[in-house]
Amino acid sequence: MSTQPAETSHGIKDNDLGVARWKIILASVVGTTIEFYDFYIYATAAVSVFPLIFFPGDDPQIALLASMATFGAAFVARPLGSIIFGHMGDRVGRKATLIGALLTMGIATFIIGLLPTYLQIGLWAPAMLTILRFCQGLGLGGEWSGAALLVTETAKPGKRASAAMWPQLGAPFGFLLANGFFLLLTLAFNYDSAADGADHVFIDWVWRVPFLASIVMVGIGLWVRLSLEETPVFKQAIAKDQRVKAPLKDVFAKNWWQLTLGTFIMYATYVLFYLMTTWVLSYAIGAPETGGLGTAYNDFLVIQLISILFFAAFVPVSGYLADKFGRKPTMLIITGLLIVFGLLFGWWLNADIIVSDDGTLNTTRMVLFMIVGMALMGLTFGPMSAILPELFPTETRYTGSGIAYNVSSILGAALTPFIATWLMGAFDVSYVGYYLAAAAFITLIFLALSPETKYRSLSNLDTDEIQRTRR
């Protein structure tokens, strides 16, 4: 009987990766956890803190809008980040690029925690905040695709989707850390954003703690990533001289269809995510006279934190299903379930049903809605870090998967809260669900047009093969 160690699908000995595999997993999870942690601490601060200290004025609505404008700067920067770091990732390597993306994102977040306020330096304060938020977006634009490639290009044969689910866990982990941290701080310092003003100790300095604490995760991620080897797939690309001089030019010239597929395959996932996090929070805590449910912020945050556990639990389930049954059939069924879920929004969330006559929220009904939505989020989000990289050849994989992921974020993330809020004002909550169902139907069409990528070899995949199996 042979005692030779088994080879992976990338042509290297599996025991060569065995010792490093836990570092690969940790390096991918830490980066994406920081990504979503940064997003949520900024989102929370942009609503409750930044209008008071960076955009003070007589009109609190204008201050809030100005604060949210800086929040949106990251969405503008993310596609640019995917181009910059994608070029580096396809030319220099996955490891070095991941380190650069992590430092860009992490250092910007840490410095936000040190910024002086408007009362201290005037207009320089919001200007510096916007610049740092833009830098966060640049880092985020390069982080996800690098983390996805790190695990997919070192995965065991037949286990690529299961390996690729690790960076996807960064979304629920980051949410739990960020919102859990803010919840604990608000409770510890007895801060109520609806009642307390700018003279509260939370506004004075406590809000800085979550931003400054992110440097701990950055340090861990940096230590792990510095100790990693380059992925075997990229090493093979170097050995075979497969790198291209201009990955961005090549990916648009040769892989425009894969960019289109990846963008819209991811589209419904982003719409669902921002409906289940950003929009539903505004709907739940909004005043009844404006169409909201009138729930206390801390009470609803607890419901969200419970539901996020189901998000995390179903990410590995979807990875297993995608490996066992294939990416395409798994995602077709999950996306079909998203359509059904969207069509039932009115039944779940209608204020006449979910709020009693005395104004009390039907907590059980809301918890069940959030659990189902977040479980579906885990199912649809889990396989994405396998599907998107598998669409592209090695020489443009970092650039292509990053652009598809981040352009989809603009369509599904930046626009969704606004569209959902408008639909609520013009019609009712059931139309928000119809919007989700429509987005899922669009994704369903592009899934039907996409190839099955489960059996593709990432190391042997070239542009000609993709062109032959394009549909």
Side-chain angles (χ1 to χ4, degrees):
M1 181 181 294
S2 173
T3 58
Q4 292 295 317
E7 290 191 354
T8 68
S9 59
H10 315 298
I12 62 172
K13 307 299 183 185
D14 190 60
N15 65 344
D16 291 341
L17 279 175
V19 176
R21 200 172 296 280
W22 71 270
K23 287 187 178 180
I24 293 170
I25 291 172
L26 183 59
S28 65
V29 173
V30 167
T32 51
T33 298
I34 295 171
E35 172 185 349
F36 284 94
Y37 175 87
D38 288 350
F39 170 82
Y40 278 110
I41 59 173
Y42 196 101
T44 302
V47 172
S48 60
V49 178
F50 291 166
L52 298 174
I53 62 174
F54 288 108
F55 307 97
D58 296 332
D59 191 333
Q61 186 66 22
I62 293 177
L64 177 60
L65 289 173
S67 180
M68 293 307 293
T70 66
F71 174 72
F75 290 103
V76 177
R78 283 178 68 165
L80 180 60
S82 68
I83 293 171
I84 295 171
F85 286 105
H87 180 87
M88 292 175 57
D90 286 325
R91 288 290 303 163
V92 180
R94 310 334 190 188
K95 173 185 173 180
T97 305
L98 273 170
I99 292 171
L102 177 68
L103 289 175
T104 302
M105 178 172 51
I107 292 173
T109 301
F110 180 78
I111 295 176
I112 288 174
L114 300 174
L115 282 180
T117 67
Y118 179 88
L119 293 178
Q120 294 171 311
I121 61 171
L123 290 175
W124 285 105
M128 292 170 65
L129 179 66
T130 304
I131 292 170
L132 289 171
R133 181 59 178 166
F134 190 86
C135 290
Q136 276 189 321
L138 289 177
L140 299 183
E143 170 60 38
W144 177 86
S145 52
L149 267 57
L150 186 64
V151 288
T152 55
E153 292 185 346
T154 55
K156 293 180 180 180
K159 300 293 183 182
R160 201 154 58 209
S162 296
M165 67 91 184
W166 286 106
Q168 305 303 79
L169 285 172
F173 289 173
F175 188 101
L176 288 168
L177 284 173
N179 287 280
F181 203 167
F182 260 108
L183 178 61
L184 289 175
L185 289 173
T186 56
L187 293 175
F189 290 89
N190 195 28
Y191 175 69
D192 182 354
S193 61
D196 295 316
D199 57 347
H200 195 279
V201 67
F202 188 88
I203 302 298
D204 186 30
W205 65 269
V206 174
W207 70 269
R208 300 178 184 272
V209 175
F211 288 90
L212 299 176
S214 69
I215 202 67
V216 176
M217 288 191 293
V218 172
I220 295 172
L222 185 61
W223 168 71
V224 175
R225 289 181 176 183
L226 284 171
S227 65
L228 291 175
E229 295 290 332
E230 186 54 80
T231 71
V233 171
F234 190 77
K235 286 182 178 179
Q236 288 183 6
I238 295 175
K240 296 178 181 180
D241 195 25
Q242 291 178 330
R243 289 179 296 175
V244 294
K245 292 183 179 180
L248 179 64
K249 178 182 177 182
D250 271 47
V251 81
F252 275 102
K254 300 177 181 179
N255 305 122
W256 62 269
W257 176 243
Q258 287 71 37
L259 283 174
T260 305
L261 284 178
T263 297
F264 287 100
I265 286 173
M266 187 77 194
Y267 176 57
T269 301
Y270 264 119
V271 172
L272 176 65
F273 184 68
Y274 283 87
L275 287 180
M276 297 303 299
T277 54
T278 306
W279 170 80
V280 77
L281 175 64
S282 65
Y283 176 59
I285 69 175
E289 56 268 22
T290 62
L293 301 180
T295 308
Y297 169 75
N298 284 352
D299 291 342
F300 189 75
L301 184 56
V302 172
I303 295 175
Q304 276 194 315
L305 290 173
I306 292 171
S307 67
I308 286 291
L309 297 176
F310 290 84
F311 179 5
F314 277 87
V315 166
V317 171
S318 64
Y320 168 80
L321 294 174
D323 275 336
K324 184 174 179 62
F325 301 106
R327 286 54 161 147
K328 187 171 180 176
T330 299
M331 287 304 300
L332 283 171
I333 293 173
I334 293 169
T335 306
L337 292 175
L338 288 185
I339 294 175
V340 175
F341 180 64
L343 295 176
L344 293 175
F345 257 50
W347 177 80
W348 279 109
L349 294 178
N350 190 292
D352 294 334
I353 300 174
I354 203 168
V355 177
S356 63
D357 292 338
D358 62 357
T360 304
L361 179 72
N362 186 330
T363 304
T364 301
R365 194 178 188 89
M366 178 59 80
V367 168
L368 288 175
F369 168 80
M370 292 296 296
I371 286 175
V372 171
M374 284 301 186
L376 287 171
M377 181 63 206
L379 289 173
T380 186
F381 190 58
M384 289 299 170
S385 55
I387 294 172
L388 266 60
E390 288 170 349
L391 289 172
F392 299 92
T394 301
E395 61 266 26
T396 58
R397 185 171 297 136
Y398 204 124
T399 302
S401 60
I403 291 175
Y405 181 83
N406 287 293
V407 170
S408 186
S409 78
I410 295 177
L411 298 176
L415 298 179
T416 289
F418 174 83
I419 292 174
T421 301
W422 177 81
L423 288 171
M424 270 293 301
F427 304 101
D428 57 54
V429 71
S430 62
Y431 281 81
V432 178
Y434 299 154
Y435 171 55
L436 172 60
F441 183 73
I442 292 172
T443 289
L444 199 69
I445 293 173
F446 283 90
L447 281 169
L449 295 172
S450 68
E452 174 56 66
T453 57
K454 173 184 176 181
Y455 300 105
R456 283 182 171 175
S457 171
L458 295 187
S459 57
N460 298 326
L461 188 62
D462 58 25
T463 300
D464 291 337
E465 178 187 348
I466 285 183
Q467 295 297 330
R468 289 193 301 268
T469 61
R470 191 166 92 166
R471 294 182 180 271

